[in-house]
Amino acid sequence: MILMDGKALAAKRKSELRAKVDKLPRKPGLAVILVGDDPASRTYVNGKRRDCGECGFYSEEYTLPAETAQAEILALIDELNGREDIDGILVQLPLPKGLDSRALLDAIRPDKDVDCFHPVNVGKLFSGQKGGFAPCTPAGVMDLLHEYGISPKGKHCVVLGRSNIVGKPMAALLLAEDGTVTVCHSATPDLARKCATADILVSAVGKAGLVTGDMVKEGAVVVDVAMNRNAEGKLCGDVVMEEVAEKAAYLTPVPGGVGPMTRAGLMDNTYRAACRHLNVSPD
Ligand code: NAP
């Protein structure tokens, strides 16, 4: 079994970006809005700031109290939409109760929507049009598959989870590369049998211990997107590593698999947004 090293690939992607950024007339700019004091969100935002530094980007962070009014956040997004030095705007999810996250995400200008949540970018993704953004986590998974020479073409790809952030865009990207895709969710009967037919199994549910060895076909590629805490408080995915490692040909670790690739994907989108704003080729 080969462990797919997302940490190493993400580091390589960030240093590639750093070299390209040095040739731009100005730094790509990312603005991150964090509302409330969710500790996991705080950690993610800190990570994004560090990534921006490593890639040579300019970054700004807006930390707002949980009781901030929707209108105030909308006004901030509006201001950032109009700024020439800001190429990407990110609203850290989840938002505190009472805020309408859909309305806030829809207010971000599509060309600054580096998380790929705006309906214009989602529409481009699902209709195969160019010019949108790649959703960070699924795009990171595809980059990892490519790096290890794995193509979804002609393969049965089973995606566990149908969220707008991971499951649905993951299915779209696998389909776009000629995979035959089955998407499973909480109402899917006989999950184990469906998983056992997967050549490529992507789990994005958020339930530790969900994917056991008997659910995995011999020689399958297993990508664990989930980030859970086990009984000891240790970070883990959906996959029972010890069991699945006996069957899979390729497997992503948690941590060190998809997580770092998601962060590298955000940096890539911010760079691409800057290139569009500066009217230069990203390559
Ligand atoms: P989410 O919005 O809660 O979606 C979870 C999905 O799993 C839903 O579609 C749900 O079905 C489905 N589900 C729940 N129980 C199931 C079961 N027993 N069998 C099959 N499907 C089931 O979560 P998310 O935002 O997509 O995130 C999923 C996981 O990935 C979480 O652990 C999250 O922390 C992690 N994540 C990691 C990264 C990364 O960078 N590594 C990025 C984003 C998310 P219904 O639709 O029917 O409810």
Side-chain angles (χ1 to χ4, degrees), residues 29 80-84 86-89 107-116 118 120-121 124 131-133 269-278:
L80 294 167
N81 275 339
R83 291 249 311 263
E84 286 200 357
I86 296 296
D87 299 293
I89 305 169
I108 296 172
R109 243 170 60 177
D111 59 301
K112 297 194 176 191
D113 168 42
V114 285
D115 252 344
C116 190
H118 193 284
V120 166
N121 289 320
K124 283 183 176 167
F133 288 105
N269 280 347
T270 305
Y271 167 73
R272 284 172 190 280
C275 289
R276 263 178 239 163
H277 295 143
L278 292 164

Side-chain angles (χ1 to χ4, degrees), residues 137 160-163 165-167 184-187 191 204-207 210 225-228 258-259 262:
T137 301
L160 307 185
R162 58 170 164 183
S163 71
I165 298 178
V166 190
C184 302
H185 45 78
S186 64
L191 193 72
V205 171
K207 283 201 166 98
L210 180 75
V225 176
M227 289 194 293
N228 312 304
V258 177
T262 297

Side-chain angles (χ1 to χ4, degrees), residues 221-245:
V221 176
V222 180
V223 176
D224 195 351
V225 176
M227 289 194 293
N228 312 304
R229 296 268 165 203
N230 66 14
E232 293 84 49
K234 228 178 111 210
L235 196 61
C236 66
D238 289 341
V239 171
V240 181
M241 284 287 286
E242 319 76 71
E243 293 181 16
V244 172

Side-chain angles (χ1 to χ4, degrees), residues 5 13 72 258:
D5 191 344
R13 293 290 177 254
E72 201 180 313
V258 177

Side-chain angles (χ1 to χ4, degrees), residues 85-103:
D85 57 339
I86 296 296
D87 299 293
I89 305 169
L90 186 148
V91 176
Q92 184 65 45
L93 299 178
L95 287 165
K97 281 197 174 62
L99 290 171
D100 179 353
S101 53
R102 188 68 267 170

